[in-house]
């Protein structure tokens, strides 16, 4: 397994909409290795979700694990939200926007259809943190970031703060 570089805002590659994954590709050794590498990268970051777009792979899949002991890894391939209900405000962060958190309104309960790691069709109805995480990662697959929910002024402040932080690291 290998750690993959995570793209950071405002990298324009984060704005690329992901293409559907060919179901025949899902069970190939190369795709399975990429999933393992994404989990390793997400855990090392550390994070609870990682979309393919964040590691410069512009296809529609993501990995999620909400557990602290990494015991519940989930793979969502070609996810599509087919029902949304309610609304909640949740403070979100993102591995592509390090150190920044902001309130985002998301559906409280969602139903998502997707292929799992073995290529089997699944449907999941969920709420709470998992629902928020799925919506956040699907946004990445659409080329959208949580900072897009902020006002233009706040988004520019985030961009400047990250640019300043990068200068101090260099």
């Amino acid at each position: 397994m290998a750690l993959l570089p995570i793209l950071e805002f405002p990298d324009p590659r984060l704005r690329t909409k992901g293409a559907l994954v060919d179901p025949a590709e899902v069970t190939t050794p190369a795709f399975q290795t990429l999933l393992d590498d994404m989990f390793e990268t997400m855990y090392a970051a550390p994070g609870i979700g990682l979309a393919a777009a964040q590691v410069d792979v512009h296809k529609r899949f993501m990995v999620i694990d909400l557990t602290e002991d990494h015991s519940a890894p989930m793979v969502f391939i070609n996810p599509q939200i087919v029902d949304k209900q309610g609304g909640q405000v949740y403070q979100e962060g993102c591995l592509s926007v390090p150190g920044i958190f902001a309130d985002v309104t998301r559906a409280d309960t969602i139903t998502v259809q997707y292929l799992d790691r073995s290529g089997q069709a699944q449907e999941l109805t969920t709420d709470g943190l998992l629902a928020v995480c799925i919506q956040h990662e699907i946004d990445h697959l659409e080329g959208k970031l949580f900072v897009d929910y902020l006002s233009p002024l706040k988004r520019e402040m985030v961009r400047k703060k990250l640019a300043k932080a990068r200068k101090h690291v260099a």
Side-chain angles (χ1 to χ4, degrees):
M1 294 197 303
L3 290 179
L4 304 170
I6 297 173
L7 301 179
E8 291 186 4
F9 176 76
D11 192 311
R13 293 173 290 179
L14 288 167
R15 301 303 186 173
T16 304
K17 187 173 180 177
L20 289 173
V21 175
D22 180 343
E25 180 183 1
V26 172
T27 57
T28 65
F31 191 83
Q32 292 294 313
T33 297
L34 179 56
L35 292 174
D36 290 339
D37 291 347
M38 285 180 62
F39 275 113
E40 183 177 355
T41 301
M42 178 185 73
Y43 293 143
I48 59 171
L50 186 66
Q54 293 177 271
V55 293
D56 205 18
V57 176
H58 302 288
K59 294 193 174 182
R60 297 187 66 80
F61 66 97
M62 59 202 192
V63 298
I64 293 175
D65 189 341
L66 304 182
T67 64
E68 288 187 28
D69 64 355
H70 309 159
S71 61
M74 296 181 286
V75 173
F76 296 83
I77 301 165
N78 298 335
Q80 181 179 356
I81 295 174
V82 296
D83 187 43
K84 293 181 180 185
Q85 297 178 8
Q88 65 179 341
V89 175
Y90 213 93
Q91 188 170 74
E92 294 187 23
C94 181
L95 297 178
S96 292
V97 191
I100 305 296
F101 298 88
D103 289 342
V104 178
T105 301
R106 301 276 188 188
D108 185 44
T109 303
I110 63 167
T111 300
V112 60
Q113 294 176 341
Y114 62 99
L115 300 178
D116 65 16
R117 186 171 190 151
S118 63
Q120 299 300 305
Q122 302 290 336
E123 183 172 285
L124 172 69
T125 299
T126 190
D127 60 6
L129 182 58
L130 182 55
V132 169
C133 191
I134 290 169
Q135 291 170 85
H136 177 105
E137 300 308 331
I138 286 177
D139 275 356
H140 278 297
L141 304 180
E142 295 292 330
K144 188 172 185 175
L145 299 170
F146 86 98
V147 295
D148 296 340
Y149 293 94
L150 305 178
S151 71
L153 177 62
K154 285 185 180 177
R155 197 167 38 254
E156 182 61 17
M157 288 171 54
V158 167
R159 190 193 63 72
K160 287 180 179 177
K161 184 175 181 178
L162 291 174
K164 184 177 180 181
R166 281 193 276 279
K167 283 183 183 177
H168 287 297
V169 172

